[in-house]
Amino acid sequence: MAMLWKFMRVAKYSKTALSPKVKVRGIATQSRHSSSKSVPSDFAANTPCSNTVELLGKSYPRDDYSSVTEKILSKVGKNLHNRKHHPLWLIKEQVKDHFYKQYVGRRGTPLFSVYDGLSPVVTVQQNFDSLLVPQNHASRRKEDNYYLNHDHMLRSHTSAHQWDLIRSGLDAFLAVGDVYRRDTIDNTHYPVFHQLEGVRLFSCHELFSNIEDGEGLRLFEQGHRTAHKQECHTMEAVRLVEFNLKQVLTKLMAHIFGDGLEVRWVDCYFPFTHPSFEMEINFQGEWLEVLGCGVMEQQLVNSAGAQDKIGWAFGVGLERLAMILYDIPDIRLFWSEDERFLKQFIVPHIWQKIKFQPLSRYPPLINDISFWLPSEAYSENDFYDLARTVAGDLIEKVVLLDEFTHPKTKKVSHCYRIIYRHPERTLTQDEVHRIHQAIEESAVRELGVEGRF
């Protein structure tokens, strides 16, 4: 589920453009207030011309809600989590192995079933409505998601499959897959990442069978909603579900990262779990957020046909776990085809310890871009998508340097720094300059900004 996505947070990102070369601390850069004549470029943002989106053998008509780009569409179907010996596959297999061995049903078979081949194309109803996400919630924004059209989208979390899997009769399952979100650009954020979802439902007997004098305990009541429970849940049931959830996840993290791992829980809010928590681990002296979880909203459980059960759900990003466990410094590396990267994860068994050896630390090339924002409303995430579409994985990071409002015209100018660095080779200033100019030209053409370059 979308547990690493803080639903109450609306991230603000921005837009940018650039120009001729100036030295900044010895690094070739571009002055935000210099001027240069634009030249034709081989690079351009891929603006879809077709009236339909062709994806995974199906056709989806475009409309005014379509926001998916050709660059993102090229990632669909890669399924890195199912690619043997890929670091994301290793993490997935470790989690599966732990759940299969730790939680066994009465017949000796694994309690949790695993689904890692579900289509990333879902309906808006699956991604939001089934999870009780309000119609006006910020997480639904076109600027933050990849919509194929008004009715279909690339899932923004594996929680999009919760309702369907519960409806099919499942009480315990893991769902794994690629998810898509328009986001900022740095070494820990990428518009495509991989998530693992866990769900467990309990009947009254399953929850209270090992509790002394538990015969008289109940799952539900007609009470009041508080910060600690839903109005329909008894406090005893919520406490047991919460305890079971935290115990399951603490064991999982200890199994992955080693015994003696220090864990803490932080209260938070997600629309389809209440109460909700984020799990942080102390890894090598630093507290790191690794997942989010909570007691499932009973309205969701009831609507999926499990009215007599109560449950929990959690979600974790596989890249997050792999970056911590293997010490991988840049999320772009997961998409690398460089054998020097991939061969480090060809190991005889999934639990073998691996410490990533950097390919090399190639030097960055830094360019600034500034422009006047258009008067009409727009999303800064559009610029991030545009920059990624033009430059691909050559962009390591984009940082807002300055925001200026003209005292007379009241026009707003943004200046951003774009850091270019190839994860596998040294970039030349000439190729970066051409890419940078293509971003400038595309920003003016596609976003309606007025360049200051």
Side-chain angles (χ1 to χ4, degrees):
M1 84 190 207
M3 286 314 184
L4 292 183
W5 188 4
K6 296 187 177 80
F7 273 86
M8 297 304 291
R9 167 180 165 268
V10 180
K12 291 190 176 181
Y13 310 139
S14 41
K15 320 187 174 183
T16 331
L18 315 106
S19 50
K21 306 170 196 171
V22 175
K23 288 289 183 178
V24 175
R25 292 193 295 272
I27 301 175
T29 185
Q30 301 227 355
S31 168
R32 59 186 169 188
H33 296 301
S34 60
S35 61
S36 67
K37 187 175 181 180
S38 180
V39 296
S41 172
D42 295 331
F43 305 89
N46 293 326
T47 304
C49 298
S50 173
N51 291 326
T52 61
V53 178
E54 306 295 332
L55 188 60
L56 301 179
K58 294 185 178 181
S59 179
Y60 302 89
R62 293 185 185 272
D63 57 25
D64 61 350
Y65 232 70
S66 302
S67 61
V68 69
T69 66
E70 295 301 319
K71 182 68 71 174
I72 293 301
L73 291 175
S74 71
K75 303 290 186 182
V76 178
K78 298 294 186 182
N79 297 325
L80 300 183
H81 61 289
N82 289 334
R83 182 175 176 178
K84 194 171 183 180
H85 295 300
H86 191 279
L88 299 180
W89 176 84
L90 287 174
I91 289 290
K92 182 197 73 172
E93 291 299 311
Q94 289 179 22
V95 175
K96 282 173 54 180
D97 183 66
H98 172 74
F99 272 87
Y100 280 171
K101 293 177 179 177
Q102 188 73 30
Y103 306 101
V104 179
R106 282 177 291 181
R107 297 182 179 179
T109 56
L111 181 65
F112 283 81
S113 51
V114 178
Y115 299 85
D116 58 10
L118 300 171
S119 173
V121 179
V122 297
T123 64
V124 172
Q125 194 279 335
Q126 288 175 298
N127 201 77
F128 294 123
D129 297 337
S130 71
L131 299 171
L132 313 179
V133 179
Q135 287 291 331
N136 61 349
H137 200 276
S139 63
R140 290 177 177 259
R141 297 194 319 164
K142 175 181 175 182
E143 294 83 356
D144 295 328
N145 297 283
Y146 288 106
Y147 286 92
L148 302 183
N149 53 39
H150 199 277
D151 298 317
H152 294 85
M153 63 188 298
L154 295 176
R155 63 188 169 205
S156 61
H157 43 222
T158 45
S159 302
H161 305 290
Q162 265 188 23
W163 192 93
D164 292 320
L165 292 173
I166 294 173
R167 185 71 176 176
S168 71
L170 296 175
D171 287 344
F173 58 84
L174 303 176
V176 194
D178 43 329
V179 299
Y180 300 77
R181 297 183 197 160
R182 304 177 80 186
D183 212 337
T184 190
I185 301 177
D186 59 35
N187 68 325
T188 61
H189 291 85
Y190 200 77
V192 189
F193 60 101
H194 298 76
Q195 203 171 58
L196 184 144
E197 178 101 0
V199 169
R200 175 79 195 276
L201 300 180
F202 301 88
S203 65
C204 186
H205 172 73
E206 289 171 324
L207 194 61
F208 298 130
S209 61
N210 294 323
I211 304 299
E212 186 176 353
D213 300 323
E215 295 83 2
L217 297 178
R218 297 176 300 156
L219 295 180
F220 307 111
E221 67 174 8
Q222 296 298 319
H224 300 285
R225 192 178 187 94
T226 71
H228 306 291
K229 75 178 201 61
Q230 298 173 41
E231 61 272 23
C232 57
H233 293 158
T234 64
M235 184 58 75
E236 294 86 358
V238 171
R239 289 303 187 200
L240 283 173
V241 171
E242 181 183 321
F243 174 77
N244 180 268
L245 170 61
K246 291 181 176 180
Q247 188 178 50
V248 166
L249 294 176
T250 300
K251 286 182 179 179
L252 174 62
M253 291 300 117
H255 204 63
I256 291 175
F257 294 103
D259 292 331
L261 189 72
E262 189 177 0
V263 170
R264 70 184 182 191
W265 301 92
V266 180
D267 292 346
C268 61
Y269 167 73
F270 302 109
F272 42 91
T273 54
H274 177 78
S276 306
F277 314 93
E278 286 176 346
M279 181 189 206
E280 296 180 349
I281 64 172
N282 193 329
F283 188 74
Q284 297 179 351
E286 181 180 2
W287 283 102
L288 302 170
E289 176 192 316
V290 292
L291 57 81
C293 59
V295 179
M296 295 187 70
E297 283 288 339
Q298 196 59 38
Q299 183 181 343
L300 188 163
V301 176
N302 290 348
S303 68
Q307 296 91 336
D308 57 343
K309 296 181 179 179
I310 184 175
W312 54 245
F314 74 85
V316 57
L318 296 184
E319 280 88 347
R320 181 62 167 159
L321 293 184
M323 291 179 80
I324 297 171
L325 183 62
Y326 302 133
D327 200 21
I328 298 173
D330 193 321
I331 196 169
R332 294 175 299 167
L333 284 167
F334 291 104
W335 296 90
S336 175
E337 294 293 338
D338 193 321
E339 285 301 315
R340 293 174 299 167
F341 173 77
L342 296 173
K343 70 180 182 182
Q344 296 187 44
F345 301 94
I346 300 176
V347 290
H349 59 84
I350 60 174
W351 293 104
Q352 177 153 334
K353 291 188 178 300
I354 302 169
K355 177 158 177 75
F356 171 67
Q357 300 300 315
L359 310 183
S360 181
R361 193 58 176 169
Y362 299 104
L365 292 176
I366 300 176
N367 291 261
D368 295 343
I369 181 171
S370 64
F371 48 72
W372 297 108
L373 306 186
S375 57
E376 66 273 14
Y378 76 103
S379 166
E380 290 96 346
N381 275 356
D382 289 340
F383 175 76
Y384 283 85
D385 254 4
L386 181 145
R388 276 194 168 114
T389 298
V390 175
D393 290 348
L394 300 185
I395 296 181
E396 179 178 81
K397 191 173 185 179
V398 179
V399 182
L400 177 64
L401 289 182
D402 181 54
E403 181 175 346
F404 168 72
T405 302
H406 194 284
K408 293 183 179 180
T409 66
K410 303 304 179 183
K411 293 173 65 175
V412 178
S413 171
H414 279 184
C415 176
Y416 285 84
R417 174 152 292 168
I418 301 182
I419 301 174
Y420 298 88
R421 190 200 311 259
H422 198 294
E424 299 165 3
R425 65 177 178 84
T426 299
L427 292 172
T428 67
Q429 180 59 49
D430 181 63
E431 64 180 314
V432 167
H433 182 63
R434 289 188 295 116
I435 294 169
H436 198 67
Q437 284 189 310
I439 293 176
E440 293 176 337
E441 295 164 3
S442 294
V444 173
R445 183 176 62 251
E446 306 293 340
L447 305 180
V449 303
E450 182 183 343
R452 303 183 68 189
F453 32 86

